[in-house]
Amino acid sequence: MTRTLILLTATAFAAPALAQHSGHAPSTPATTKEKPADPGVPTAPHGAPAGATGSSAQSPAGPAMSEQADPHAGHDMQASPPASPIADPHAGHQTGTQPSSQPASDPHAGHDMPDMPTQTDPHAGHAMPSSEADTGSAAPGHEPGVPDPPVEPPPAAALSGPRNAADAVYGPEAMADAREIARREHGDIITYNVLIDQLEARVTNARDGYFINAQGWYGGDIDRLWVKTEIESDFGRKPEQAEVQLLWSHALDPWFNLQTGVRYDFEPSPSRAHLVAGIQGLAPYWFEVDGAFFLSEKGDVTARFEAEYDQRITQRLILQPRAEIDFALQDVPEIGVGSGLSKAEIGLRLRYELVREFAPYIGIEYNETFGDTAKFERAENGDVSHFSFVFGVRAWF
């Protein structure tokens, strides 16, 4: 009886343990031999990682984690079916013979779409000349993004002011003078000018005389009628030289004019007429030049070249060097002219403009005759070279 009670009691305490392992196969020897547990170390509960014992199971994993034991160690795993590779879900499906590397074809290829309208450029045929100008990048010198000024007519307010708005700033009288200067100097109008370039007395050794050089023109900016004259003589004698030229002048450019016409010599005697062709104008560096060829009624050909330059010392004091040289193609004994370089005059005059239109001056003049002209001069008991002190006035109106 006593044995029966002990057996029943043991069975009652062993029932839970047996129930925990119910379903498990009978104990199977492990494939690896486990190291027997240290009797001094508490045994980890079932299910805890191998090697974790007591409080050490809560500590961070350390080198000992590489020795974690299989939680299923001791369990019989033979009953588990072997792991098989994952089967292809499309295995057995027919995917066709098209290789995967072939590019996708147009899904609409082969479809007939005759009614679909063709898209055209909505701006085709539109002129957009300001597209580049608006960006500013195409215009040279413009910063990118800065548009060009708009090309539009002026606003109405710009035309609503007074006719001469500058009168309100500078006064009507000042602007009237300015408009008159602009009209006289820049307008396409008929006007005139008379210039007495040299009206002077010449004081020479035992020979005092006078000289007049004047010219005038009448016409417009392009075509003008010119009159030139030179008169030279000693005081108390008839003129040694007196000539008048009547020329038609045509502007070749803003600086030079072509002049053609006639010249008549009253003196020296006998008088004669010439055809004239020449150039007069303003050369570079502001040299005033005047050159002409003369063909006389006798067939004589002569030439003359003049140049002068106004060097302004002040606004009113002006130093003017001047030169004139004469040439002849042949000897003309009856008027005392030899072939080649016949005569040269070099002068230097200092004038003071009391007003722009009137300026007295003083200066010196040197005359020289050459070649056969000097020979003819000696035959007449004349001077082939001499200095002169000159004084006179220069005027224009």
Side-chain angles (χ1 to χ4, degrees):
M1 185 65 178
T2 302
R3 292 180 179 181
T4 302
L5 292 174
I6 294 171
L7 181 59
L8 292 175
T9 303
T11 303
F13 283 101
L18 293 175
Q20 183 178 4
H21 295 282
S22 62
H24 290 186
S27 60
T28 304
T31 55
T32 58
K33 187 176 181 179
E34 296 183 6
K35 185 179 179 179
D38 190 347
V41 178
T43 304
H46 180 74
T53 58
S55 60
S56 65
Q58 304 299 328
S59 63
M65 293 187 64
S66 60
E67 299 177 357
Q68 290 180 353
D70 184 3
H72 298 285
H75 292 184
D76 186 6
M77 304 301 291
Q78 291 181 355
S80 301
S84 59
I86 300 174
D88 183 5
H90 299 287
H93 293 185
Q94 186 176 0
T95 58
T97 57
Q98 183 176 0
S100 59
S101 59
Q102 183 175 359
S105 60
D106 184 4
H108 300 288
H111 292 188
D112 185 12
M113 296 181 290
D115 297 331
M116 179 176 290
T118 303
Q119 293 182 354
T120 58
D121 183 2
H123 300 288
H126 292 186
M128 294 182 290
S130 60
S131 58
E132 294 184 357
D134 291 342
T135 60
S137 59
H142 287 195
E143 295 293 336
V146 179
D148 290 340
V151 181
E152 296 178 352
L159 305 177
S160 62
R163 180 178 178 82
N164 298 315
D167 292 355
V169 179
Y170 301 102
E173 295 182 358
M175 289 310 302
D177 294 340
R179 282 190 287 272
E180 175 61 22
I181 294 174
R183 184 194 66 81
R184 184 176 68 248
E185 298 184 357
H186 303 285
D188 185 16
I189 58 175
I190 302 299
T191 184
Y192 66 92
N193 180 268
V194 176
L195 170 64
I196 304 174
D197 195 25
Q198 295 168 278
L199 175 59
E200 66 186 21
R202 294 181 173 181
V203 180
T204 311
N205 185 18
R207 290 188 59 184
D208 296 338
Y210 61 91
F211 180 73
I212 300 173
N213 180 9
Q215 58 188 9
W217 54 263
Y218 175 85
D221 295 335
I222 305 300
D223 298 296
R224 294 175 179 174
L225 179 65
W226 277 75
V227 178
K228 300 179 181 179
T229 182
E230 288 187 5
I231 303 174
E232 181 179 8
S233 179
D234 294 338
F235 289 116
R237 298 185 179 181
K238 67 176 183 180
E240 296 180 358
Q241 176 190 359
E243 68 177 42
V244 176
Q245 299 182 42
L246 183 63
L247 307 172
W248 169 75
S249 178
H250 180 77
L252 300 176
D253 57 24
W255 312 105
F256 288 96
N257 300 286
L258 172 66
Q259 296 181 335
T260 59
V262 295
R263 162 188 160 187
Y264 189 81
D265 292 347
F266 297 95
E267 294 290 344
S269 182
S271 60
R272 61 187 59 199
H274 304 260
L275 294 177
V276 182
I279 297 292
Q280 182 175 7
L282 190 63
Y285 301 98
W286 303 95
F287 284 92
E288 295 186 9
V289 297
D290 184 2
F293 288 95
F294 307 98
L295 176 62
S296 73
E297 59 183 336
K298 305 294 184 179
D300 304 326
V301 177
T302 57
R304 179 185 300 163
F305 178 80
E306 301 176 14
E308 61 186 32
Y309 179 78
D310 285 352
Q311 175 61 55
R312 290 188 175 273
I313 300 175
T314 66
Q315 290 294 325
R316 295 181 179 273
L317 189 63
I318 300 169
L319 183 65
Q320 183 194 67
R322 182 179 180 275
E324 176 183 331
I325 52 179
D326 292 352
F327 300 89
L329 191 61
Q330 66 290 306
D331 288 343
V332 187
E334 57 271 26
I335 57 175
V337 175
S339 60
L341 178 60
S342 57
K343 186 174 65 174
E345 296 178 0
I346 300 175
L348 186 66
R349 292 167 174 81
L350 181 66
R351 73 172 184 265
Y352 184 82
E353 294 182 344
L354 300 176
V355 292
R356 297 300 180 189
E357 296 83 359
F358 185 82
Y361 64 85
I362 59 173
I364 57 174
E365 181 85 12
Y366 177 75
N367 290 266
E368 179 75 30
T369 54
F370 304 91
D372 291 342
T373 305
K375 185 176 65 176
F376 298 145
E377 189 72 25
R378 293 189 188 97
E380 297 292 333
N381 295 321
D383 294 334
V384 297
S385 62
H386 60 271
F387 277 99
S388 300
F389 172 74
V390 301
F391 60 92
V393 294
R394 181 180 187 269
W396 62 270
F397 54 90

